[in-house]
Each structure stands twice: as C-alpha cells, then as structure tokens.
C-alpha cells in the first residue's frame, strides 16, 4: 500500500515536472519561391528568395543553405539573420559556389528563431529546392 | 489579359508552440500521446506539391541530473484539414491545396529496466516543409 502510494506520488511529481510552460506569441513564416533553376556563366550562382511573415507579430528569421543531404553549404547569404515585421517580406540574396561542379542542387531554408526566455518547443523550417547550372 | 503562375508555397504557423509530456505507468515512456499529454500544433497552408516532415532527432534535449540512462526520442505527427494523415514519423507529400493542422508529438522511451526520474524534461522538434 505504502509502495503504491509512493509510486503514485512519484508519478505525480514526474508529471508535474514534465509540464512545459506555455510559450509566447506564435510565429509563422513562408518562403517564395520554393523551386528554381538558375543558369550562370561564373563559378557561382545567385538566388533571390523572399521569406515572409504573414502573421500579426514580428519574428526573427535565419536563412541557411544545405546540400541534398542537408549538409551545410558555404554560401553567402545576405542577410543571413533578420527581424521581419508583421505581414511583410524582404529579399534575401544567396550566392552559391559551384565548387568545380557543372550543376549543383541546394536547399535554401528559412527558420524562425524562438525569442530568448520563451519555452518554444517547436521550430518551423521551410526549404526551397534550387538547381544551379554552369554554361 | 492577365497571366500568372502559382508555384509551390508553404506557410507554417506555430499555433501551439509547446506540448506536454507525461510519463507512462511503468515510467519507461514519456510522451505527449499519453493521457494527460498534449501535442504541439502547427498550421500549414500550401498550394500543394510540398513535402512535410520532422527532423528525426529532437534538439536542445534537457533531462534531470538524476537521469543517467539513455532515452530514444521519437517525434511524430498527424495531419487533418485539406489532407488527412494518420500519425507517422516519415515525410509525407502534401498534394492538396489548403490549410492543414499538424499535431506534433514526441515520445521518449527507456529500454531494459531503466526508467524516467523526477525532474524537468524538454526537447525541441523541428517541423519542415519543402
């Protein structure tokens, strides 16, 4: 009996400990375009994407570039991190090196960044797929 | 005359950023899918032609100091709305245009005789649309 009571008490303690605090305002994002092909005469190709925040609060965003296996690609992203106001979008220029290849497929991903002191337990990432081809 | 092309788009709105994990009676499972738990919720609005998935491994995992045994964490999700998808851990194509509600769950599992201990557990799950 005492053992069962102790077990219930432990369960209650554990359940209470696992309650995650409610987060702050919700965040949302989108990315345009999500597909594209670029032809380039040089050793790099450039893509301009437009992350947007269609919802009613300002959010912080980061733009990152990955290859097909989601390994980071050393690309120039300008700007790579920024605050985006409600219902607005902004251009982000991504310059990707071919690294000696004739064509290169990359994913350009925009991720909303939780604000400090918020217990955000879900992150959102939207990735566009782009193909660069060298002439 | 006006012409236009609508490409694949995806807008994610985190409507419920935190889930609630609760332990099983055996203390070997800690999950938002158990009675008393709650999933995180994300709204996905798309034109279709995109893929929805979760990062297979949660990030920023924290466990109490007293928990010294390993835990296998498994994120999963289900979808209702423009499209219905039963709880899954794998990537899914969203073919229908419209708005979907994605319920994001997380389950931690201990093996052998190991159990969860008292204290705070937390982890972050990434929802991906591409």
């Amino acid at each position: 009996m005492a053992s069962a009571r102790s077990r219930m008490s432990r369960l209650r303690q554990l359940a209470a400990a696992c309650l995650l605090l409610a987060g702050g305002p919700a965040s949302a994002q989108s990315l345009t375009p999500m597909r594209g092909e670029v032809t380039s005469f040089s050793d790099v190709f450039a893509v301009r994407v437009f992350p947007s925040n269609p919802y009613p609060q300002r959010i912080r965003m980061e733009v990152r570039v990955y290859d097909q296996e989601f390994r980071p690609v050393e690309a120039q992203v300008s700007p790579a991190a920024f605050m985006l106001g409600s219902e607005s979008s902004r251009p982000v220029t991504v310059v990707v090196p071919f690294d000696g290849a004739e064509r290169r497929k990359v994913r350009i991903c925009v991720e909303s960044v939780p604000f400090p002191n918020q217990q955000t337990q879900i992150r959102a990432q939207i990735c566009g797929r782009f193909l660069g081809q060298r002439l | 005359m006006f012409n236009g092309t609508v490409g694949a788009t995806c807008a994610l709105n985190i409507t419920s950023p935190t889930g609630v994990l609760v332990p099983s009676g055996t203390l070997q499972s800690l999950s938002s899918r158990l009675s008393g738990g709650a999933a995180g919720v994300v709204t996905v609005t798309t034109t279709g032609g995109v893929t929805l998935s979760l990062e297979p491994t949660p990030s920023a995992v924290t466990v109490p100091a007293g928990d010294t045994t390993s835990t296998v964490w498994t994120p999963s999700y289900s979808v209702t709305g423009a499209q219905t998808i039963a709880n899954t851990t794998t990537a899914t194509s969203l073919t229908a245009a419209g708005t979907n509600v994605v319920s994001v769950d997380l389950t931690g599992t201990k093996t052998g005789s190991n159990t969860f201990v008292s204290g705070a557990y937390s982890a972050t799950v990434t929802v991906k649309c591409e």
Side-chain angles (χ1 to χ4, degrees):
Chain A
M1 186 68 178
S3 168
R5 205 176 295 132
S6 162
R7 190 177 184 79
M8 281 307 295
S9 168
R10 193 173 166 209
L11 271 174
R12 268 192 221 105
Q13 280 181 339
L14 186 49
C18 294
L19 276 174
L20 301 175
L21 296 175
S27 57
Q29 63 197 57
S30 65
L31 177 70
T32 305
M34 289 184 68
R35 306 284 184 268
E37 290 187 22
V38 180
T39 303
S40 172
F41 292 97
S42 71
D43 293 336
V44 299
F45 66 97
V47 178
R48 178 175 286 174
V49 294
F50 292 81
S52 64
N53 171 17
Y55 295 96
Q57 64 276 338
R58 204 164 73 123
I59 59 175
R60 178 173 167 79
M61 288 182 158
E62 286 183 1
V63 177
R64 294 178 179 153
V65 184
Y66 302 93
D67 67 8
Q68 286 180 280
E69 281 74 46
F70 268 99
R71 291 177 299 223
V73 169
E74 288 210 14
Q76 289 182 335
V77 182
S78 180
F82 50 90
M83 296 295 296
L84 196 56
S86 166
E87 297 184 0
S88 63
S89 69
R90 66 153 300 154
V92 174
T93 303
V94 179
V95 179
V96 183
F98 280 106
D99 280 349
E102 290 299 309
R103 61 204 305 265
R104 191 169 194 189
K105 289 181 179 176
V106 295
R107 287 180 166 94
I108 298 174
C109 300
V110 59
E111 186 170 311
S112 58
V113 180
F115 288 89
N117 304 321
Q118 284 191 356
Q119 299 281 327
T120 302
Q121 304 296 320
I122 293 178
R123 297 182 75 137
Q125 187 181 55
I126 300 177
C127 299
R129 297 181 201 154
F130 299 90
L131 169 65
Q133 298 192 84
R134 182 152 52 175
L135 288 180
Chain B
M1 177 193 279
F2 295 90
N3 294 299
T5 303
V6 178
T9 64
C10 188
L12 297 180
N13 181 17
I14 303 170
T15 52
S16 178
T18 57
V20 178
L21 300 170
V22 294
S24 64
T26 62
L27 302 178
Q28 287 201 299
S29 178
L30 186 63
S31 177
S32 58
R33 289 173 57 77
L34 293 170
S35 176
V41 180
V42 178
T43 301
V44 181
T45 303
T46 179
T47 53
V50 298
T51 302
L52 185 70
S53 63
L54 300 181
E55 280 287 320
T57 308
S59 59
V61 176
T62 60
V63 304
D67 186 345
T68 56
T69 60
S70 64
T71 303
V72 176
W73 295 99
T74 307
S76 63
Y77 68 98
S78 59
V79 177
T80 57
Q83 199 165 327
T84 300
I85 300 166
N87 194 266
T88 182
T89 59
T90 59
T92 309
S93 292
L94 295 181
T95 53
T99 298
N100 296 282
V101 176
V102 183
S103 296
V104 180
D105 285 293
L106 181 64
T107 298
T109 308
K110 296 285 190 185
T111 56
S113 59
N114 298 329
T115 58
F116 289 96
V117 302
S118 294
Y121 290 80
S122 69
T124 298
V125 175
T126 300
V127 179
K128 189 181 299 181
C129 186
E130 67 171 314

